[in-house]
Amino acid sequence: MLAIRLTRKGSKKRPSYRVIVTEKSNPRDGRFLEIVGHYNPLPETAEVTLNMDRVQYWLSKGAQPTDTVRNLIKKAAVSPATPENPSSSS
């Protein structure tokens, strides 16, 4: 079974993550099929970059996202539609 999950990168106490597609039985930082995005939780607003075309492709092939990745996909899908600073126009 395929899974879309995070793999940890970065140094000690400065994590950053890749969003990858891998076999569910592979280790967290082990072999993977494709990198479909990046996640950096450290800035004020966490940075999420996902290739939504590839995510949709893998979901259509039966890949199951982890709970965290499912939340990141929702945030990435909503963020382009919302204005960056709605209060500055008033």
Side-chain angles (χ1 to χ4, degrees), residues 28-73:
R28 180 192 72 181
D29 295 334
R31 194 171 59 175
F32 57 87
L33 298 172
E34 184 177 0
I35 299 171
V36 294
H38 299 278
Y39 170 56
N40 186 0
L42 293 178
E44 281 283 325
T45 58
E47 298 171 355
V48 178
T49 307
L50 291 175
N51 183 342
M52 291 305 289
D53 293 337
R54 295 306 292 169
V55 170
Q56 291 301 324
Y57 169 80
W58 285 110
L59 290 173
S60 71
K61 295 295 181 185
Q64 297 295 314
T66 61
D67 293 336
T68 303
V69 172
R70 189 175 294 117
N71 290 334
L72 293 176
I73 291 170

Side-chain angles (χ1 to χ4, degrees), residues 3-43:
I4 303 175
R5 65 181 180 201
L6 299 175
T7 183
R8 185 184 164 127
K9 296 294 172 193
S11 60
K12 185 166 124 180
K13 300 193 182 207
R14 304 280 305 164
S16 64
Y17 300 90
R18 288 179 180 167
V19 182
I20 62 167
V21 179
T22 186
E23 286 289 329
K24 195 162 186 91
S25 60
N26 287 347
R28 180 192 72 181
D29 295 334
R31 194 171 59 175
F32 57 87
L33 298 172
E34 184 177 0
I35 299 171
V36 294
H38 299 278
Y39 170 56
N40 186 0
L42 293 178

